[in-house]
């Protein structure tokens, strides 16, 4: 255990049975700048440690935001920029570019006990862990929603997806 703390935020609900990546540009990857095992002498130092968060926002380079695989594995971010990728809805963790290999920004296996992290164009992010692989010691899942029923949630998501699919976005 290295004490690394990292994760993702996705504003679209997780769902099985999609034919590829989905989600919105509101998603991001994040990581505490220092290991949770960094020595702290006071509660204030501990609070400062946990406030120092690195955020990797959606880059606009591709639309590979989130994906649930057939074996229920979870993927966030993937692949090279769209210019280098003819099929942005394909699971693509071994695409090479002149700077190295792009992969999943964050990937968790079906039992949520192991994962990987690679350089990712979706969030212009480096791997979230030094060697690219990790064991999951703690997992927190939060859901934030402005709706109170499943029907309302589905309508909200379909409306957002329509806008994302048919809107004109300026890539930064």
């Amino acid at each position: 255990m290295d004490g690394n703390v990292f994760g993702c935020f996705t504003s679209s609900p997780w769902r099985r049975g999609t034919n590829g990546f989905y989600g919105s540009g509101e998603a991001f990857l994040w990581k505490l700048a220092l290991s949770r095992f960094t020595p702290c002498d006071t509660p204030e130092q501990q609070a400062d440690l946990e406030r120092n968060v690195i955020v990797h926002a959606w880059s606009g380079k591709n639309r590979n935001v989130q994906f649930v695989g057939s074996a229920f594995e979870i993927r966030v971010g993937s692949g090279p920029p769209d210019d280098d990728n003819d099929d942005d809805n394909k699971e693509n963790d071994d695409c090479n570019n002149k700077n190295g290999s792009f992969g999943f920004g964050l990937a968790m296996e079906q039992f949520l006990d192991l994962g990987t992290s690679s350089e990712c164009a979706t969030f212009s992010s480096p791997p979230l862990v030094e060697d690219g692989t990790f064991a999951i010691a703690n997992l927190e899942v939060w859901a934030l929603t402005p709706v109170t029923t499943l029907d309302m949630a589905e309508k909200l998501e379909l409306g957002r997806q329509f806008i994302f699919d048919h809107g004109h976005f300026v890539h930064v």
Side-chain angles (χ1 to χ4, degrees):
M1 297 272 185
D2 295 330
N4 292 311
V5 179
F6 53 88
C8 65
F9 169 83
T10 59
S11 60
S12 297
W14 290 96
R15 58 182 182 251
R16 301 182 312 202
T18 61
N19 288 328
F21 284 91
Y22 62 97
S24 78
E26 297 169 320
F28 58 87
L29 296 175
W30 63 269
K31 176 183 179 176
L32 285 185
L34 299 173
S35 164
R36 177 138 306 149
F37 295 153
T38 302
C40 297
D41 296 325
T42 67
E44 291 80 12
Q45 287 179 342
Q46 184 70 34
D48 287 342
L49 172 81
E50 295 191 12
R51 268 194 291 266
N52 193 359
V53 177
I54 300 166
V55 175
H56 301 283
W58 181 60
S59 68
K61 293 178 181 175
N62 68 33
R63 293 174 52 187
N64 302 346
V65 177
Q66 62 191 92
F67 180 86
V68 179
S70 59
F72 304 106
E73 65 274 14
I74 295 172
R75 311 287 189 234
V76 182
S78 176
D82 279 343
D83 295 342
D84 298 336
N85 187 2
D86 293 333
D87 184 7
D88 68 354
N89 283 329
K90 182 180 177 193
E91 229 179 295
N92 196 349
D93 65 345
D94 59 357
C95 297
N96 293 314
N97 71 358
K98 64 183 178 183
N99 297 323
S101 180
F102 287 107
F104 298 113
L106 179 59
M108 294 175 280
E109 299 309 317
Q110 69 182 25
F111 299 112
L112 303 177
D113 59 344
L114 299 172
T116 62
S117 181
S118 301
E119 180 182 0
C120 174
T122 309
F123 302 103
S124 292
S125 60
L128 298 174
V129 292
E130 192 170 311
D131 69 356
T133 62
F134 57 89
I136 298 171
N138 251 351
L139 178 68
E140 289 185 23
V141 179
W142 292 56
L144 307 173
T145 180
V147 298
T148 56
T149 67
L150 180 59
D151 185 51
M152 291 170 66
E154 288 173 349
K155 287 178 184 175
L156 176 66
E157 177 60 19
L158 288 173
R160 290 176 46 148
Q161 191 61 45
F162 178 84
I163 291 168
F164 191 70
D165 288 344
H166 301 287
H168 299 284
F169 295 95
V170 176
H171 294 288
V172 204

